[in-house]
């Protein structure tokens, strides 16, 4: 029969699951079975709140990071648009490359227009996974 886990070990298992989101990964870290981890996690009455809180923290971190890189991203976009608009590059490009670039630009542009209020003032963040 396996040794019983202490309350501290159970809390650590729940905390690691909230962080990693994987029964298998947590079971390997703690040297217990996947089923043991699953049982501990599903018996935790606050797990939904903990997972929601972690998801919100992760989202806030990503948005803060994206905001910190805004100027770099805008610079890259400007350079990319300059390259796409270069006569030399356009004459060298295949029709498939040109249509792919145009399609991407049109898709993203119409998505930002639909997401907004109809005007193109300001910057709109589109998360496309």
């Amino acid at each position: 029969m396996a040794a019983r886990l202490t309350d501290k070990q159970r809390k650590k298992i729940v905390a690691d699951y909230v962080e990693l989101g994987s029964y298998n990964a947590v079971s390997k870290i703690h040297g217990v079975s996947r089923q043991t981890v699953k049982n501990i996690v599903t018996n935790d009455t606050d797990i939904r709140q903990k997972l929601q809180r972690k998801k919100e923290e992760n989202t806030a971190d990503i948005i803060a990071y994206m905001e910190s890189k805004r100027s770099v991203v805008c610079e890259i976009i400007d350079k990319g648009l300059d390259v796409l608009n270069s006569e030399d590059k356009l004459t060298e490009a295949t029709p498939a490359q040109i249509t792919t670039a145009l399609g991407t630009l049109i898709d993203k542009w119409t998505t930002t227009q639909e997401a907004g209020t109809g005007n193109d003032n300001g910057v709109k963040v589109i998360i496309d996974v």
Side-chain angles (χ1 to χ4, degrees):
M1 183 171 181
R4 290 183 121 334
L5 295 171
T6 65
D7 189 49
K8 183 177 179 180
Q9 288 172 313
R10 289 174 180 272
K11 287 179 180 177
K12 180 67 174 145
I13 287 172
V14 170
D16 287 344
Y17 178 77
V18 169
E19 185 68 30
L20 300 173
S22 167
Y23 296 132
N24 286 331
V26 176
S27 71
K28 289 177 184 175
I29 291 170
H30 292 278
V32 297
S33 73
R34 179 189 179 283
Q35 190 60 46
T36 298
V37 173
K38 185 175 181 181
N39 290 343
I40 291 169
V41 168
T42 55
N43 288 334
D44 187 312
T45 56
D46 298 328
I47 194 70
R48 281 197 178 99
Q49 291 87 1
K50 291 174 185 174
L51 291 171
Q52 182 62 32
R53 200 172 323 123
K54 182 63 179 173
K55 183 178 178 181
E56 290 168 0
E57 289 172 6
N58 289 346
T59 301
D61 290 345
I62 289 170
I63 290 172
Y65 176 78
M66 289 172 59
E67 187 61 36
S68 75
K69 297 297 183 182
R70 177 185 298 264
S71 63
V72 174
V73 171
C74 288
E75 187 178 325
I76 292 168
I77 291 170
D78 285 342
K79 289 178 182 178
L81 290 173
D82 288 343
V83 169
L84 289 174
N85 200 28
S86 163
E87 289 295 328
D88 293 339
K89 291 291 182 183
L90 285 172
T91 57
E92 294 174 8
T94 66
Q97 291 171 326
I98 294 170
T99 57
T100 299
L102 286 173
T104 302
L105 287 171
I106 291 168
D107 285 349
K108 297 304 177 187
W109 183 260
T110 56
T111 302
T112 60
Q113 296 306 303
E114 291 170 5
T117 59
N119 63 30
D120 58 354
N121 296 335
V123 175
K124 295 172 185 71
V125 175
I126 302 171
I127 300 174
D128 186 355
V129 179

